[in-house]
């Protein structure tokens, strides 16, 4: 039997999600009970279709059926950047300077704040609990790829560009050198205070941050060194994103300098690879063992709205054949439509 399932998160997941938030504590998933409570209510309404598509946030929970604990989580923000809540970033720009009179040539890097009110779909909030990170099932891949499967399965609800914001190197106490060099001087807030506030209200960034370009050479060396860099904790995520079609966008988070990666939605490998298929009769054990390792999912009427498991699947005559145990765990029968994504 499958040990893990992925499902839509609901308000009943408050304690498990709080436990996972302590391992991430970012703007998408802060270690803050009230924020997590609001996020889970938002997620449930999103899965239920009780709000406009561009306002939706979908939270997924990777659940250990054996220990009854949350092993991981991830999220989709349907549209990052709307009227009243813009997508805010620093463009990383290059500028050449040359003075013939002294024969001096320099290549300068500049940061210029930018705003988008019609922004991309964001994939984020990815965390796997420390005790599960070396599990042979490659749980990080499962909870990451389920977002692409869901986007492909409900393509009309999402934007034509996907964005992923990666964490840069941070100090052990969470200090952001870029924030200390720039943001604190313009907001009189700590990095954590500003990060948490920005999850609900970005007006202060728009109103207080400088609009003119900032020359990076004027910043402390520690701040210069983190701009566009990927922290050790997200190197694996960067590798996965590049493998499926994302590229660095020459944009960074204005708080901590973490890089932004983008891709056209319909070119992302697991989005392309997701199919909706009717379920065939259960496959024999021998065929199951030869089948592709895959995520198989279905929409659910009512909470938890969506369920996915890892299985082995074989496509025969246009239908997907799964082991009987997998079909039973998803509560599907021959003829039911399921979503299928082969895994690398």
């Amino acid at each position: 039997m499958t040990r893990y399932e992925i499902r839509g998160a609901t308000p009943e997941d408050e304690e498990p999600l709080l436990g996972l938030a302590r391992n991430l504590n970012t703007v998408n998933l802060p270690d803050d009970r009230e924020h997590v409570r609001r996020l889970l209510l938002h997620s449930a309404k999103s899965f239920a279709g009780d709000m406009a598509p561009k306002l939706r946030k979908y939270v997924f929970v990777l659940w250990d059926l054996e220990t009854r604990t949350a092993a991981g989580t991830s999220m989709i923000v349907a549209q990052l950047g709307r009227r009243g809540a813009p997508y805010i970033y620093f463009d990383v720009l290059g500028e050449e300077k040359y003075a013939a009179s002294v024969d001096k040539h320099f290549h300068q890097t500049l940061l210029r704040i930018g705003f988008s009110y019609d922004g991309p779909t964001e994939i984020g909030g990815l965390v796997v609990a420390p005790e599960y990170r070396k599990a042979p099932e490659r749980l990080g891949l499962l909870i990451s790829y389920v977002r692409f499967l869901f986007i492909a399965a409900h393509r009309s609800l999402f934007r034509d560009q996907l964005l992923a914001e990666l964490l840069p190197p941070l100090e052990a106490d969470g200090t952001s050198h870029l924030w200390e060099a720039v943001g604190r001087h313009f907001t009189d807030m700590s990095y954590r205070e500003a990060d948490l506030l920005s999850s609900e209200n970005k007006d202060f960034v728009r109103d207080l941050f400088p609009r003119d370009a900032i020359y990076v050479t004027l910043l402390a060396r520690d701040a210069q060194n983190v701009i566009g860099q990927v922290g050790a904790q997200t190197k694996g995520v960067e590798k996965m994103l590049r493998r499926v079609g994302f590229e660095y966008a020459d944009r960074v988070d204005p708080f901590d300098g973490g890089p932004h990666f983008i891709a056209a939605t319909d070119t992302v490998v697991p989005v392309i690879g997701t199919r909706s298929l009717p379920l065939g009769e259960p496959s024999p054990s021998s065929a199951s063992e030869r089948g592709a390792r895959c995520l198989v999912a279905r929409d659910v009427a009512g909470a938890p709205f969506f369920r996915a498991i890892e299985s082995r699947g074989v496509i025969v005559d246009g239908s997907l054949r799964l082991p009987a145990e997998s079909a039973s765990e998803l509560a599907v029968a021959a003829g039911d439509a399921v979503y299928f994504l082969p895994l690398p």
Side-chain angles (χ1 to χ4, degrees):
M1 298 291 286
T2 299
R3 176 173 174 176
Y4 303 97
E5 75 167 12
I6 301 171
R7 54 177 173 75
T10 67
E12 288 70 31
D13 294 309
E14 182 178 321
E15 290 300 331
L17 203 67
L18 266 173
L20 292 169
R22 296 185 186 104
N23 295 290
L24 189 63
N25 198 20
T26 65
V27 64
N28 276 337
L29 189 61
D31 181 13
D32 180 84
R33 181 176 296 276
E34 289 304 315
H35 180 97
V36 167
R37 186 172 292 163
R38 291 192 298 270
L39 176 63
L40 288 173
L41 182 60
H42 196 129
S43 176
K45 289 182 177 180
S46 297
F47 279 112
D50 291 340
M51 60 176 60
K54 67 172 60 177
L55 300 178
R56 296 178 190 177
K57 295 180 182 180
Y58 303 88
V59 181
F60 302 91
V61 172
L62 174 64
W63 193 251
D64 185 336
L65 297 168
E66 183 177 296
T67 64
R68 311 303 297 175
T69 57
T73 185
S74 63
M75 183 188 312
I76 304 170
V77 179
Q79 184 173 331
L80 181 67
R82 308 179 307 276
R83 294 181 182 180
Y87 160 40
I88 305 175
Y89 50 85
F90 274 148
D91 277 318
V92 182
L93 308 171
E95 180 180 89
E96 291 192 67
K97 296 282 191 178
Y98 176 68
S101 59
V102 292
D103 192 28
K104 295 288 186 181
H105 175 265
F106 295 93
H107 184 280
Q108 301 285 356
T109 300
L110 296 80
L111 301 177
R112 177 174 288 128
I113 200 163
F115 304 87
S116 174
Y117 296 87
D118 191 30
T121 290
E122 181 185 10
I123 57 169
L126 176 65
V127 60
V128 176
E131 61 270 27
Y132 287 95
R133 289 175 187 171
K134 294 185 179 180
E137 294 87 351
R138 298 170 68 198
L139 300 177
L141 180 74
L142 300 184
I143 193 62
S144 179
Y145 266 47
V146 75
R147 299 171 299 183
F148 301 120
L149 179 152
F150 191 84
I151 288 168
H154 305 88
R155 180 64 185 85
S156 64
L157 299 178
F158 301 102
R159 309 289 289 169
D160 291 335
Q161 186 180 76
L162 300 182
L163 165 76
E165 300 184 14
L166 300 191
L167 285 173
L170 298 172
E171 294 302 303
D173 64 357
T175 296
S176 162
H177 289 294
L178 183 65
W179 181 260
E180 296 303 316
V182 178
R184 184 183 286 275
H185 295 290
F186 292 96
T187 65
D188 193 29
M189 297 181 192
S190 71
Y191 172 61
R192 289 303 176 196
E193 288 171 336
D195 204 35
L196 183 59
L197 178 58
S198 72
S199 67
E200 303 292 340
N201 187 329
K202 294 180 173 61
D203 289 351
F204 74 100
V205 181
R206 183 190 59 212
D207 295 340
L208 297 177
F209 264 58
R211 296 301 181 100
D212 295 330
I214 299 169
Y215 280 83
V216 171
T217 49
L218 299 177
L219 305 180
R221 180 63 62 181
D222 285 343
Q224 295 183 42
N225 290 342
V226 300
I227 295 171
Q229 299 302 305
V230 177
Q233 71 273 41
T234 45
K235 285 288 187 182
V237 177
E238 178 193 15
K239 183 178 180 180
M240 181 276 294
L241 290 173
R242 290 187 183 276
R243 185 175 67 242
V244 302
F246 283 73
E247 296 181 344
Y248 175 48
D250 292 316
R251 287 181 176 176
V252 299
D253 184 273
F255 288 9
D256 56 35
H260 290 188
F261 282 75
I262 60 171
T265 303
D266 295 324
T267 67
V268 173
V269 173
V271 173
I272 296 171
T274 297
R275 300 174 63 182
S276 177
L277 295 169
L279 191 67
E281 296 297 330
S283 61
S285 297
S286 59
S288 300
E289 292 168 1
R290 296 195 305 269
R293 179 174 179 250
C294 60
L295 274 175
V296 186
R298 63 181 288 251
D299 294 316
V300 179
F305 308 106
F306 175 84
R307 294 184 64 218
I309 62 170
E310 181 191 356
S311 184
R312 293 272 176 179
V314 179
I315 298 176
V316 179
D317 297 329
S319 64
L320 179 66
R321 302 182 71 179
L322 298 175
E325 295 86 352
S326 295
S328 177
E329 287 174 24
L330 273 181
V332 289
D336 290 342
V338 295
Y339 307 118
F340 165 76
L341 171 60
L343 296 170

